[in-house]
Amino acid sequence: MSDCLFCKIVAGEIPCGKVYEDDEVLAFHDIHPFARVHFLIIPKAHVASLADCTTGHGMLLGKMLLLAPRLAREQGLDAGFKTLINTGRGGGQEVFHIHIHVFGGGDPVKRS
Ligand code: AMP
Ligand code: ZN
């Protein structure tokens, strides 16, 4: 997807504050954090949203979700963290390349 912001980050065309990378997944700091720690976990392959996932994406989604506690701990969120997946315009999604928000730290986050 040549016009997708997160695909451009995956391609290295736009810089990011990398948290984690492997052959399938990238995690990087959110540019407008709403907590002391706030990063995004994305698949390298373009998938627009959770609503566009099929059973074939199950392993990838599971891998992304299981990375959240590991990376959160590595970012110092020992006391816990929030996860958020905005889906579709009605769900507040602004970047249409699926991503899991992981955030926390500072005062307890009561809501997103
Ligand atoms: P969403 O509303 O769930 O689609 O969230 C998109 C998130 O992407 C927002 O929290 C933005 O702050 C974040 N974002 C947008 N552009 C960048 C960027 N270049 N690098 C890092 N995060 C970004
Ligand atoms: Zn994309």
Side-chain angles (χ1 to χ4, degrees), residues 1 4 7 46 97:
M1 288 284 287
C4 170
C7 281
H46 182 85
H97 180 130

Side-chain angles (χ1 to χ4, degrees), residues 35-73:
R36 182 173 58 76
V37 174
H38 181 184
F39 60 89
L40 306 173
I41 302 175
I42 73 169
K44 287 190 168 177
H46 182 85
V47 183
S49 81
L50 187 59
D52 295 285
C53 289
T54 64
T55 52
H57 293 103
M59 291 288 287
L60 179 62
L61 290 170
K63 177 178 180 175
M64 290 165 59
L65 206 51
L66 289 170
L67 267 170
R70 175 183 150 191
L71 299 182
R73 268 194 306 274

Side-chain angles (χ1 to χ4, degrees), residues 5 12 24 30-31 53 63 66 79 82 93 112:
L5 177 66
E24 293 179 307
D30 195 293
I31 204 165
C53 289
K63 177 178 180 175
L66 289 170
K82 295 266 190 187
Q93 187 174 5
S112 65

Side-chain angles (χ1 to χ4, degrees), residues 36-37 77 104-109:
R36 182 173 58 76
V37 174
L77 298 178
D107 293 334
V109 181

Side-chain angles (χ1 to χ4, degrees), residues 8-110:
K8 288 179 179 168
I9 289 177
V10 169
E13 294 167 15
I14 294 176
C16 72
K18 193 184 297 180
V19 168
Y20 173 85
E21 180 175 20
D22 66 25
D23 55 339
E24 293 179 307
V25 174
L26 179 68
F28 53 90
H29 294 288
D30 195 293
I31 204 165
H32 297 303
F34 43 76
R36 182 173 58 76
V37 174
H38 181 184
F39 60 89
L40 306 173
I41 302 175
I42 73 169
K44 287 190 168 177
H46 182 85
V47 183
S49 81
L50 187 59
D52 295 285
C53 289
T54 64
T55 52
H57 293 103
M59 291 288 287
L60 179 62
L61 290 170
K63 177 178 180 175
M64 290 165 59
L65 206 51
L66 289 170
L67 267 170
R70 175 183 150 191
L71 299 182
R73 268 194 306 274
E74 289 177 7
Q75 293 298 312
L77 298 178
D78 298 317
F81 57 90
K82 295 266 190 187
T83 50
L84 172 70
I85 305 175
N86 293 324
T87 303
R89 297 206 183 282
Q93 187 174 5
E94 293 179 352
V95 178
F96 282 79
H97 180 130
I98 188 171
H99 48 281
I100 302 175
H101 295 257
V102 181
F103 54 97
D107 293 334
V109 181
K110 295 291 186 200

